Each structure stands twice: as C-alpha cells, then as structure tokens.
Amino acid sequence: MQMNPVTVEKLPMNAPESGIYLFSEEGEHLYVGRSNTIRKRLQIHCRPSSNHNKVAFAFRLAREISGKTEVTYTKKGSRSALEKDPEFSTIFDEQKARIRNMSVRYVLEPDPIKQALLEMYASISLSTPHNDFNNH
C-alpha cells in the first residue's frame, strides 16, 4: 500500500517479475491478483483481444453491469455464450478499457505459496469485492 499507484500503461521497467497486484479505482480497492509475469498479466487484463478465460476481473465487472450474474453450467448463458452476445460483449470490452485506466500497485513475491497466501490476505484485509475464492 506504500507504493505510489501507476496505470498499466505507465508500468515502470523495474516492475517485479512475480508477485501480487492490486487494482483500485477512485480510492476503492477492487481486485487482487497474482502472477509470475506481472507486467504481461496486467497488460492481458486490459487487452481488447483478451477473452473470458484470460480476464476474470473484467468479466466479473461486465456481469455486474449487465445484470447477467447467474452462473450456468450449460451452453446457454455460459461465459462463452455471453462473450458472443453483442450487448454483453460491448460491456465486456468497456470493462477491459476501464481496467487500463485503474490504479495498480504490486509487490514482489517469487514463492508461489506465499503469493497465494498474500493474495488472499490482501483481498480479505482490503475487502476487494471482485475476488472470488469459491471452488467451481
């Protein structure tokens, strides 16, 4: 939290390779993630071509905004079907662009077990509303 936030487009060259990251918007902490390739992962979050399998945060935002929050395990209403829906697809693309402008902070943590624990700790302590640790 002591790090001055940046945007994905302004990531410094010395960003750590692996660790956890936090997306915030207007002072509200929204999502914590972890990666062994932080720079690449942050860019994937807001790349227009990223699909639903790559950008769960943007997909969750799009579900919330569209009101299509019901998770289904059938083809109708599936993530893939939603992504093909023109209305939902537009909202999904808007959320990837929104993430591009969010504040991001990160911290180095190369150990995968510590990364996982730190991700959960940060999510719980910051009350990030878009983290979901449910099993599916």
Side-chain angles (χ1 to χ4, degrees):
M1 291 307 300
Q2 294 177 359
M3 177 189 164
N4 287 329
V6 295
T7 61
V8 172
E9 292 178 339
K10 298 200 176 179
L11 284 172
M13 293 308 294
N14 66 347
E17 184 68 18
S18 60
I20 69 159
Y21 54 89
L22 167 68
F23 281 112
S24 304
E25 186 177 53
E26 297 177 8
E28 182 182 0
H29 307 304
L30 300 174
Y31 181 81
V32 178
R34 65 185 171 108
S35 178
N36 287 326
T37 56
I38 286 180
R39 176 180 293 284
K40 181 179 176 185
R41 183 67 184 116
L42 291 172
Q43 292 168 341
I44 288 170
H45 269 288
C46 52
R47 186 175 293 145
S49 62
S50 293
N51 68 21
H52 68 90
N53 289 327
K54 301 264 186 201
V55 291
F57 177 38
F59 200 83
R60 287 178 65 91
L61 291 170
R63 275 188 180 275
E64 182 180 278
I65 290 167
S66 69
K68 297 180 180 184
T69 57
E70 184 79 24
V71 176
T72 66
Y73 295 99
T74 62
K75 287 186 179 186
K76 184 179 180 184
S78 70
R79 292 170 63 101
S80 180
L82 280 174
E83 194 172 31
K84 292 173 187 167
D85 175 270
E87 180 184 333
F88 186 87
S89 179
T90 298
I91 295 168
F92 184 41
D93 289 342
E94 289 168 352
Q95 297 319 297
K96 289 183 272 187
R98 175 182 170 193
I99 291 169
R100 185 178 307 112
N101 294 309
M102 287 184 182
S103 298
V104 65
R105 292 179 172 94
Y106 46 81
V107 64
L108 170 68
E109 180 48 69
D111 181 88
I113 293 172
K114 291 179 182 175
Q115 272 183 22
L117 292 171
L118 189 54
E119 177 189 26
M120 287 185 273
Y121 173 77
S123 176
I124 291 166
S125 65
L126 297 172
S127 300
T128 55
H130 298 287
N131 282 91
D132 179 2
F133 297 104
N134 289 333
N135 289 327
H136 303 285

mmCIF file of all heavy atoms in Angstrom, residues 1-6 20-25 27-32 103-108 118 121-123 125-128:
data_model
loop_
_atom_site.group_PDB
_atom_site.id
_atom_site.type_symbol
_atom_site.label_atom_id
_atom_site.label_comp_id
_atom_site.label_asym_id
_atom_site.label_seq_id
_atom_site.Cartn_x
_atom_site.Cartn_y
_atom_site.Cartn_z
ATOM 1 N N MET A 1 0.827 -1.201 0.000
ATOM 2 C CA MET A 1 0.000 0.000 0.000
ATOM 3 C C MET A 1 0.866 1.256 0.000
ATOM 4 O O MET A 1 0.379 2.318 -0.320
ATOM 5 C CB MET A 1 -0.939 0.005 1.201
ATOM 6 C CG MET A 1 -2.034 -1.056 1.141
ATOM 7 S SD MET A 1 -3.012 -1.068 -0.377
ATOM 8 C CE MET A 1 -3.702 0.548 -0.365
ATOM 9 N N GLN A 2 2.132 1.109 0.345
ATOM 10 C CA GLN A 2 3.016 2.269 0.376
ATOM 11 C C GLN A 2 3.468 2.677 -1.023
ATOM 12 O O GLN A 2 3.955 3.788 -1.210
ATOM 13 C CB GLN A 2 4.226 1.982 1.259
ATOM 14 C CG GLN A 2 3.847 1.816 2.711
ATOM 15 C CD GLN A 2 5.036 1.450 3.575
ATOM 16 O OE1 GLN A 2 6.146 1.306 3.095
ATOM 17 N NE2 GLN A 2 4.788 1.294 4.856
ATOM 18 N N MET A 3 3.289 1.820 -1.986
ATOM 19 C CA MET A 3 3.685 2.128 -3.360
ATOM 20 C C MET A 3 2.769 3.195 -3.948
ATOM 21 O O MET A 3 1.551 3.150 -3.765
ATOM 22 C CB MET A 3 3.592 0.865 -4.215
ATOM 23 C CG MET A 3 3.903 1.110 -5.659
ATOM 24 S SD MET A 3 3.512 -0.342 -6.661
ATOM 25 C CE MET A 3 3.521 0.431 -8.265
ATOM 26 N N ASN A 4 3.356 4.154 -4.654
ATOM 27 C CA ASN A 4 2.554 5.109 -5.404
ATOM 28 C C ASN A 4 1.931 4.360 -6.573
ATOM 29 O O ASN A 4 2.641 3.700 -7.342
ATOM 30 C CB ASN A 4 3.411 6.264 -5.922
ATOM 31 C CG ASN A 4 3.821 7.207 -4.819
ATOM 32 O OD1 ASN A 4 3.092 7.382 -3.844
ATOM 33 N ND2 ASN A 4 4.989 7.796 -4.944
ATOM 34 N N PRO A 5 0.615 4.430 -6.721
ATOM 35 C CA PRO A 5 -0.019 3.671 -7.798
ATOM 36 C C PRO A 5 0.364 4.193 -9.176
ATOM 37 O O PRO A 5 0.700 5.369 -9.350
ATOM 38 C CB PRO A 5 -1.511 3.848 -7.527
ATOM 39 C CG PRO A 5 -1.626 5.042 -6.664
ATOM 40 C CD PRO A 5 -0.340 5.177 -5.919
ATOM 41 N N VAL A 6 0.312 3.294 -10.150
ATOM 42 C CA VAL A 6 0.540 3.618 -11.554
ATOM 43 C C VAL A 6 -0.624 3.040 -12.350
ATOM 44 O O VAL A 6 -1.512 2.409 -11.785
ATOM 45 C CB VAL A 6 1.878 3.024 -12.059
ATOM 46 C CG1 VAL A 6 3.068 3.645 -11.344
ATOM 47 C CG2 VAL A 6 1.907 1.506 -11.927
ATOM 48 N N ILE A 20 2.148 -10.167 -6.320
ATOM 49 C CA ILE A 20 0.722 -9.870 -6.354
ATOM 50 C C ILE A 20 0.516 -8.428 -6.803
ATOM 51 O O ILE A 20 1.427 -7.604 -6.723
ATOM 52 C CB ILE A 20 0.026 -10.114 -4.998
ATOM 53 C CG1 ILE A 20 0.455 -9.102 -3.955
ATOM 54 C CG2 ILE A 20 0.242 -11.534 -4.522
ATOM 55 C CD1 ILE A 20 -0.519 -8.973 -2.801
ATOM 56 N N TYR A 21 -0.691 -8.155 -7.276
ATOM 57 C CA TYR A 21 -1.034 -6.817 -7.734
ATOM 58 C C TYR A 21 -2.442 -6.479 -7.270
ATOM 59 O O TYR A 21 -3.255 -7.358 -7.001
ATOM 60 C CB TYR A 21 -0.914 -6.696 -9.260
ATOM 61 C CG TYR A 21 -1.704 -7.730 -10.014
ATOM 62 C CD1 TYR A 21 -3.021 -7.493 -10.374
ATOM 63 C CD2 TYR A 21 -1.135 -8.949 -10.364
ATOM 64 C CE1 TYR A 21 -3.759 -8.446 -11.056
ATOM 65 C CE2 TYR A 21 -1.865 -9.909 -11.053
ATOM 66 C CZ TYR A 21 -3.168 -9.646 -11.400
ATOM 67 O OH TYR A 21 -3.901 -10.589 -12.082
ATOM 68 N N LEU A 22 -2.707 -5.178 -7.187
ATOM 69 C CA LEU A 22 -3.990 -4.661 -6.710
ATOM 70 C C LEU A 22 -4.508 -3.620 -7.685
ATOM 71 O O LEU A 22 -3.797 -2.665 -8.012
ATOM 72 C CB LEU A 22 -3.802 -4.020 -5.329
ATOM 73 C CG LEU A 22 -4.943 -3.167 -4.788
ATOM 74 C CD1 LEU A 22 -6.167 -4.022 -4.467
ATOM 75 C CD2 LEU A 22 -4.488 -2.392 -3.546
ATOM 76 N N PHE A 23 -5.740 -3.805 -8.155
ATOM 77 C CA PHE A 23 -6.419 -2.797 -8.963
ATOM 78 C C PHE A 23 -7.332 -1.981 -8.058
ATOM 79 O O PHE A 23 -8.102 -2.546 -7.272
ATOM 80 C CB PHE A 23 -7.267 -3.436 -10.066
ATOM 81 C CG PHE A 23 -6.498 -3.890 -11.266
ATOM 82 C CD1 PHE A 23 -6.380 -5.233 -11.560
ATOM 83 C CD2 PHE A 23 -5.901 -2.974 -12.115
ATOM 84 C CE1 PHE A 23 -5.689 -5.666 -12.670
ATOM 85 C CE2 PHE A 23 -5.201 -3.383 -13.230
ATOM 86 C CZ PHE A 23 -5.097 -4.744 -13.514
ATOM 87 N N SER A 24 -7.250 -0.650 -8.189
ATOM 88 C CA SER A 24 -8.108 0.267 -7.428
ATOM 89 C C SER A 24 -8.654 1.318 -8.384
ATOM 90 O O SER A 24 -8.063 1.610 -9.424
ATOM 91 C CB SER A 24 -7.316 0.967 -6.320
ATOM 92 O OG SER A 24 -6.702 0.030 -5.476
ATOM 93 N N GLU A 25 -9.784 1.902 -7.988
ATOM 94 C CA GLU A 25 -10.401 2.950 -8.792
ATOM 95 C C GLU A 25 -11.021 3.963 -7.852
ATOM 96 O O GLU A 25 -11.816 3.598 -6.986
ATOM 97 C CB GLU A 25 -11.459 2.326 -9.699
ATOM 98 C CG GLU A 25 -12.083 3.259 -10.693
ATOM 99 C CD GLU A 25 -13.061 2.528 -11.597
ATOM 100 O OE1 GLU A 25 -13.967 1.831 -11.079
ATOM 101 O OE2 GLU A 25 -12.914 2.647 -12.817
ATOM 102 N N GLY A 27 -9.894 5.379 -5.301
ATOM 103 C CA GLY A 27 -9.636 5.059 -3.904
ATOM 104 C C GLY A 27 -10.273 3.777 -3.400
ATOM 105 O O GLY A 27 -10.054 3.382 -2.261
ATOM 106 N N GLU A 28 -11.077 3.105 -4.227
ATOM 107 C CA GLU A 28 -11.703 1.847 -3.820
ATOM 108 C C GLU A 28 -10.880 0.675 -4.363
ATOM 109 O O GLU A 28 -10.613 0.594 -5.565
ATOM 110 C CB GLU A 28 -13.136 1.756 -4.349
ATOM 111 C CG GLU A 28 -13.830 0.485 -3.906
ATOM 112 C CD GLU A 28 -15.245 0.343 -4.468
ATOM 113 O OE1 GLU A 28 -15.710 1.224 -5.204
ATOM 114 O OE2 GLU A 28 -15.873 -0.680 -4.155
ATOM 115 N N HIS A 29 -10.484 -0.216 -3.486
ATOM 116 C CA HIS A 29 -9.720 -1.391 -3.881
ATOM 117 C C HIS A 29 -10.685 -2.437 -4.413
ATOM 118 O O HIS A 29 -11.657 -2.798 -3.741
ATOM 119 C CB HIS A 29 -8.922 -1.930 -2.694
ATOM 120 C CG HIS A 29 -8.079 -0.872 -2.054
ATOM 121 N ND1 HIS A 29 -7.148 -0.134 -2.760
ATOM 122 C CD2 HIS A 29 -8.038 -0.405 -0.796
ATOM 123 C CE1 HIS A 29 -6.572 0.728 -1.953
ATOM 124 N NE2 HIS A 29 -7.103 0.584 -0.745
ATOM 125 N N LEU A 30 -10.428 -2.909 -5.640
ATOM 126 C CA LEU A 30 -11.397 -3.754 -6.323
ATOM 127 C C LEU A 30 -10.973 -5.206 -6.508
ATOM 128 O O LEU A 30 -11.804 -6.107 -6.424
ATOM 129 C CB LEU A 30 -11.729 -3.159 -7.698
ATOM 130 C CG LEU A 30 -12.324 -1.751 -7.672
ATOM 131 C CD1 LEU A 30 -12.473 -1.221 -9.085
ATOM 132 C CD2 LEU A 30 -13.654 -1.763 -6.949
ATOM 133 N N TYR A 31 -9.704 -5.444 -6.796
ATOM 134 C CA TYR A 31 -9.302 -6.799 -7.178
ATOM 135 C C TYR A 31 -7.817 -7.017 -6.908
ATOM 136 O O TYR A 31 -7.000 -6.166 -7.242
ATOM 137 C CB TYR A 31 -9.579 -7.007 -8.672
ATOM 138 C CG TYR A 31 -9.245 -8.369 -9.193
ATOM 139 C CD1 TYR A 31 -10.114 -9.441 -9.012
ATOM 140 C CD2 TYR A 31 -8.074 -8.600 -9.894
ATOM 141 C CE1 TYR A 31 -9.815 -10.704 -9.504
ATOM 142 C CE2 TYR A 31 -7.760 -9.862 -10.388
ATOM 143 C CZ TYR A 31 -8.637 -10.909 -10.195
ATOM 144 O OH TYR A 31 -8.347 -12.152 -10.677
ATOM 145 N N VAL A 32 -7.498 -8.164 -6.323
ATOM 146 C CA VAL A 32 -6.117 -8.576 -6.096
ATOM 147 C C VAL A 32 -5.853 -9.808 -6.948
ATOM 148 O O VAL A 32 -6.689 -10.717 -7.003
ATOM 149 C CB VAL A 32 -5.856 -8.928 -4.613
ATOM 150 C CG1 VAL A 32 -4.424 -9.389 -4.409
ATOM 151 C CG2 VAL A 32 -6.156 -7.738 -3.716
ATOM 152 N N SER A 103 -5.859 2.402 -11.148
ATOM 153 C CA SER A 103 -4.594 2.438 -10.419
ATOM 154 C C SER A 103 -4.175 1.010 -10.105
ATOM 155 O O SER A 103 -5.015 0.166 -9.797
ATOM 156 C CB SER A 103 -4.756 3.200 -9.101
ATOM 157 O OG SER A 103 -5.117 4.534 -9.339
ATOM 158 N N VAL A 104 -2.899 0.761 -10.184
ATOM 159 C CA VAL A 104 -2.389 -0.563 -9.876
ATOM 160 C C VAL A 104 -1.155 -0.437 -8.975
ATOM 161 O O VAL A 104 -0.369 0.492 -9.111
ATOM 162 C CB VAL A 104 -2.071 -1.376 -11.168
ATOM 163 C CG1 VAL A 104 -0.946 -0.763 -11.960
ATOM 164 C CG2 VAL A 104 -1.784 -2.814 -10.849
ATOM 165 N N ARG A 105 -1.089 -1.320 -8.012
ATOM 166 C CA ARG A 105 0.069 -1.453 -7.127
ATOM 167 C C ARG A 105 0.486 -2.915 -7.172
ATOM 168 O O ARG A 105 -0.336 -3.786 -7.441
ATOM 169 C CB ARG A 105 -0.291 -1.090 -5.691
ATOM 170 C CG ARG A 105 -0.614 0.356 -5.450
ATOM 171 C CD ARG A 105 -0.974 0.525 -3.965
ATOM 172 N NE ARG A 105 -1.131 1.893 -3.587
ATOM 173 C CZ ARG A 105 -2.290 2.554 -3.569
ATOM 174 N NH1 ARG A 105 -3.399 1.932 -3.925
ATOM 175 N NH2 ARG A 105 -2.351 3.808 -3.191
ATOM 176 N N TYR A 106 1.734 -3.172 -6.873
ATOM 177 C CA TYR A 106 2.215 -4.546 -6.888
ATOM 178 C C TYR A 106 3.349 -4.695 -5.890
ATOM 179 O O TYR A 106 3.929 -3.711 -5.427
ATOM 180 C CB TYR A 106 2.691 -4.943 -8.286
ATOM 181 C CG TYR A 106 3.564 -3.899 -8.922
ATOM 182 C CD1 TYR A 106 4.921 -3.799 -8.600
ATOM 183 C CD2 TYR A 106 3.039 -2.981 -9.825
ATOM 184 C CE1 TYR A 106 5.714 -2.823 -9.156
ATOM 185 C CE2 TYR A 106 3.831 -2.000 -10.387
ATOM 186 C CZ TYR A 106 5.166 -1.932 -10.058
ATOM 187 O OH TYR A 106 5.959 -0.957 -10.607
ATOM 188 N N VAL A 107 3.634 -5.953 -5.563
ATOM 189 C CA VAL A 107 4.724 -6.241 -4.649
ATOM 190 C C VAL A 107 5.379 -7.554 -5.101
ATOM 191 O O VAL A 107 4.696 -8.482 -5.532
ATOM 192 C CB VAL A 107 4.241 -6.321 -3.176
ATOM 193 C CG1 VAL A 107 3.282 -7.468 -2.964
ATOM 194 C CG2 VAL A 107 5.409 -6.411 -2.221
ATOM 195 N N LEU A 108 6.667 -7.602 -5.013
ATOM 196 C CA LEU A 108 7.444 -8.780 -5.368
ATOM 197 C C LEU A 108 7.199 -9.907 -4.365
ATOM 198 O O LEU A 108 7.260 -9.694 -3.152
ATOM 199 C CB LEU A 108 8.943 -8.436 -5.372
ATOM 200 C CG LEU A 108 9.917 -9.608 -5.500
ATOM 201 C CD1 LEU A 108 9.818 -10.234 -6.879
ATOM 202 C CD2 LEU A 108 11.335 -9.137 -5.225
ATOM 203 N N LEU A 118 -0.589 -14.334 0.251
ATOM 204 C CA LEU A 118 -0.596 -12.869 0.221
ATOM 205 C C LEU A 118 -1.788 -12.343 -0.571
ATOM 206 O O LEU A 118 -2.416 -11.360 -0.180
ATOM 207 C CB LEU A 118 0.721 -12.350 -0.350
ATOM 208 C CG LEU A 118 0.985 -10.862 -0.273
ATOM 209 C CD1 LEU A 118 0.858 -10.330 1.147
ATOM 210 C CD2 LEU A 118 2.375 -10.549 -0.845
ATOM 211 N N TYR A 121 -4.757 -12.765 1.737
ATOM 212 C CA TYR A 121 -4.658 -11.815 2.844
ATOM 213 C C TYR A 121 -5.009 -10.402 2.371
ATOM 214 O O TYR A 121 -5.803 -9.704 3.003
ATOM 215 C CB TYR A 121 -3.253 -11.832 3.452
ATOM 216 C CG TYR A 121 -3.056 -10.759 4.481
ATOM 217 C CD1 TYR A 121 -3.590 -10.889 5.764
ATOM 218 C CD2 TYR A 121 -2.389 -9.582 4.164
ATOM 219 C CE1 TYR A 121 -3.449 -9.886 6.702
ATOM 220 C CE2 TYR A 121 -2.234 -8.575 5.102
ATOM 221 C CZ TYR A 121 -2.763 -8.729 6.365
ATOM 222 O OH TYR A 121 -2.626 -7.722 7.283
ATOM 223 N N ALA A 122 -4.413 -9.983 1.246
ATOM 224 C CA ALA A 122 -4.679 -8.635 0.737
ATOM 225 C C ALA A 122 -6.153 -8.480 0.363
ATOM 226 O O ALA A 122 -6.776 -7.462 0.670
ATOM 227 C CB ALA A 122 -3.783 -8.329 -0.456
ATOM 228 N N SER A 123 -6.715 -9.488 -0.279
ATOM 229 C CA SER A 123 -8.120 -9.421 -0.672
ATOM 230 C C SER A 123 -9.037 -9.295 0.544
ATOM 231 O O SER A 123 -9.963 -8.479 0.556
ATOM 232 C CB SER A 123 -8.492 -10.661 -1.482
ATOM 233 O OG SER A 123 -9.859 -10.652 -1.777
ATOM 234 N N SER A 125 -8.155 -8.348 3.722
ATOM 235 C CA SER A 125 -7.903 -7.145 4.527
ATOM 236 C C SER A 125 -8.350 -5.869 3.819
ATOM 237 O O SER A 125 -8.715 -4.903 4.479
ATOM 238 C CB SER A 125 -6.432 -7.060 4.938
ATOM 239 O OG SER A 125 -5.608 -6.901 3.809
ATOM 240 N N LEU A 126 -8.340 -5.865 2.486
ATOM 241 C CA LEU A 126 -8.773 -4.682 1.735
ATOM 242 C C LEU A 126 -10.234 -4.782 1.288
ATOM 243 O O LEU A 126 -10.748 -3.863 0.662
ATOM 244 C CB LEU A 126 -7.868 -4.468 0.514
ATOM 245 C CG LEU A 126 -6.397 -4.188 0.825
ATOM 246 C CD1 LEU A 126 -5.569 -4.192 -0.449
ATOM 247 C CD2 LEU A 126 -6.253 -2.868 1.575
ATOM 248 N N SER A 127 -10.876 -5.896 1.585
ATOM 249 C CA SER A 127 -12.280 -6.125 1.210
ATOM 250 C C SER A 127 -12.527 -5.901 -0.281
ATOM 251 O O SER A 127 -13.467 -5.205 -0.673
ATOM 252 C CB SER A 127 -13.209 -5.231 2.034
ATOM 253 O OG SER A 127 -13.071 -5.508 3.405
ATOM 254 N N THR A 128 -11.691 -6.500 -1.107
ATOM 255 C CA THR A 128 -11.864 -6.342 -2.552
ATOM 256 C C THR A 128 -13.103 -7.109 -2.999
ATOM 257 O O THR A 128 -13.193 -8.317 -2.806
ATOM 258 C CB THR A 128 -10.614 -6.835 -3.309
ATOM 259 O OG1 THR A 128 -10.329 -8.170 -2.927
ATOM 260 C CG2 THR A 128 -9.414 -5.939 -3.026
#
